[in-house]
Amino acid sequence: MARILSILVGLFFTVALAWSFGKGAYTQITEPPALTAEHEFHLHPKKVHFASDGAFGKFDRQQLQRGFQVYKEVCSACHSLSHVAFRDLAQLGYSEAEVKAIAAGFSVPGTDPNTGEATMRPGTPTDYFPKPFANDIAARAANNNAVPPDLSLMTKARHNGPAYVYSLLTGFTEQPAELLKEFPEAKTPSGLHYNPYFANLNLAMAPPLTADGQVEYGDGTKPTVDQMAKDVSAFLIWTAEPKLEKRKQTGWAVLGFLLFATILGYMSYRNIWAGKKH
């Protein structure tokens, strides 16, 4: 009896699942969802290559330093790097004195040793990059009611993150006339900016990189908008995964060990079972 009951219960759920699937498929065919501006005009990230791409990729330290400069002079006014300490910049090739100088150029929360009151003090290498706003309310007030996201893990938090960041920075443009004609209700609201690489096409962030030469590179690289966007994207790859090179090196060592173990196992098999008959 119990077996028959369990079969009937299983049959019921199977039929219910098949019915719901069939109904959903029928509805999708007979009543397809209406197209939206986001569906029609949202673009996938541009194709862009970084030195760290691929199984043998390595960071270009010079590019990372340029990217940090772009972050410091342009992006840090709104975006934080809360998971990155100043001392981590030594991995980019900065000397101890340079790291101390960079840290001292930022003000971080501290405590007055005489009064115990909260105060601001120059940063030290052990400090983390400070937040540009005291709280979310202040951040929203300065950014059209939007809180600028922390950039520490941005290239890991978005699909195809490095290309997404690069595309977003270079993708600001006027709304296409075709979009306004087909979806007049999708006109970019006042205070927002059209960018086809953003999910809903409009974002509160104004174009941060507006002109060539906005940042002056010390290594002679021409600071075009495209170059600056690529450099800061490369820097954010590093902030999201500073041990990327070590991971790849370890991966190759593990693959080498597995290959050796596979060959050794096969040779052992041949040696032990070569004369055995099944």
Side-chain angles (χ1 to χ4, degrees), residues 10 33 63 71 92 112 123 145 201 204 217 234 253:
Q63 182 179 46
Y71 167 77
L92 307 188
D112 189 321
N145 202 37
L201 306 181
Y217 288 147

Side-chain angles (χ1 to χ4, degrees), residues 149-170:
D150 183 88
L151 297 181
S152 305
L153 305 175
M154 185 55 65
T155 56
K156 286 292 187 182
R158 299 290 184 272
H159 175 66
N160 200 4
Y164 167 78
V165 172
Y166 167 78
S167 300
L168 197 70
L169 291 174
T170 58

Side-chain angles (χ1 to χ4, degrees), residues 179-212:
L179 183 150
L180 296 176
K181 181 179 180 181
E182 188 174 351
F183 302 98
E185 71 282 359
K187 180 177 174 60
T188 299
S190 176
L192 300 184
H193 307 272
Y194 179 77
N195 193 314
Y197 298 98
F198 193 63
N200 67 359
L201 306 181
N202 302 296
L203 69 165
M205 180 177 71
L209 302 175
T210 56
D212 295 348

Side-chain angles (χ1 to χ4, degrees), residues 8-264:
L8 291 176
V9 170
L11 183 62
F12 169 78
F13 281 108
T14 301
V15 172
L17 181 62
W19 179 81
S20 61
F21 175 79
K23 183 179 179 181
Y26 175 78
T27 302
Q28 176 68 24
I29 294 172
T30 58
E31 302 176 17
L35 294 179
T36 63
E38 291 83 353
H39 181 272
E40 287 286 288
F41 291 90
H42 176 61
L43 301 179
H44 293 290
K46 304 174 184 178
K47 291 185 178 180
V48 58
H49 172 73
F50 295 95
S52 57
D53 290 346
F56 297 97
K58 293 184 178 181
F59 287 125
D60 179 345
R61 259 60 183 183
Q62 201 167 30
Q63 182 179 46
L64 296 186
Q65 290 190 15
R66 295 197 304 268
F68 168 64
Q69 185 179 351
V70 175
Y71 167 77
K72 179 182 176 183
E73 297 184 19
V74 180
C75 309
S76 64
C78 298
H79 296 277
S80 58
L81 283 179
S82 60
H83 295 288
V84 181
F86 292 112
R87 62 186 174 188
D88 295 333
L89 296 177
Q91 299 177 32
L92 307 188
Y94 290 110
S95 66
E96 183 179 350
E98 289 173 323
V99 171
K100 289 182 178 179
I102 292 171
F106 287 81
S107 294
V108 300
T111 304
D112 189 321
N114 298 317
T115 64
E117 296 180 350
T119 184
M120 299 300 289
R121 61 172 175 79
T124 64
T126 57
D127 291 316
Y128 285 76
F129 278 85
K131 295 182 178 180
F133 301 102
N135 50 54
D136 286 352
I137 296 176
R140 291 183 184 279
N143 294 277
N144 197 31
N145 202 37
V147 178
D150 183 88
L151 297 181
S152 305
L153 305 175
M154 185 55 65
T155 56
K156 286 292 187 182
R158 299 290 184 272
H159 175 66
N160 200 4
Y164 167 78
V165 172
Y166 167 78
S167 300
L168 197 70
L169 291 174
T170 58
F172 289 92
T173 184
E174 296 293 331
Q175 280 190 299
E178 183 183 353
L179 183 150
L180 296 176
K181 181 179 180 181
E182 188 174 351
F183 302 98
E185 71 282 359
K187 180 177 174 60
T188 299
S190 176
L192 300 184
H193 307 272
Y194 179 77
N195 193 314
Y197 298 98
F198 193 63
N200 67 359
L201 306 181
N202 302 296
L203 69 165
M205 180 177 71
L209 302 175
T210 56
D212 295 348
Q214 189 172 342
V215 172
E216 186 176 347
Y217 288 147
D219 62 359
T221 301
K222 188 175 180 180
T224 62
V225 169
D226 185 83
Q227 184 66 53
M228 290 185 291
K230 190 173 182 180
D231 290 342
V232 75
S233 299
F235 171 68
L236 294 178
I237 295 175
W238 172 79
T239 63
E241 193 172 5
K243 298 187 182 299
L244 178 144
E245 292 175 329
K246 185 64 176 178
R247 174 175 62 79
K248 291 181 179 181
Q249 292 173 1
T250 302
W252 282 114
V254 170
L255 288 176
F257 169 77
L258 292 176
L259 178 61
F260 172 76
T262 300
I263 295 174
L264 185 63

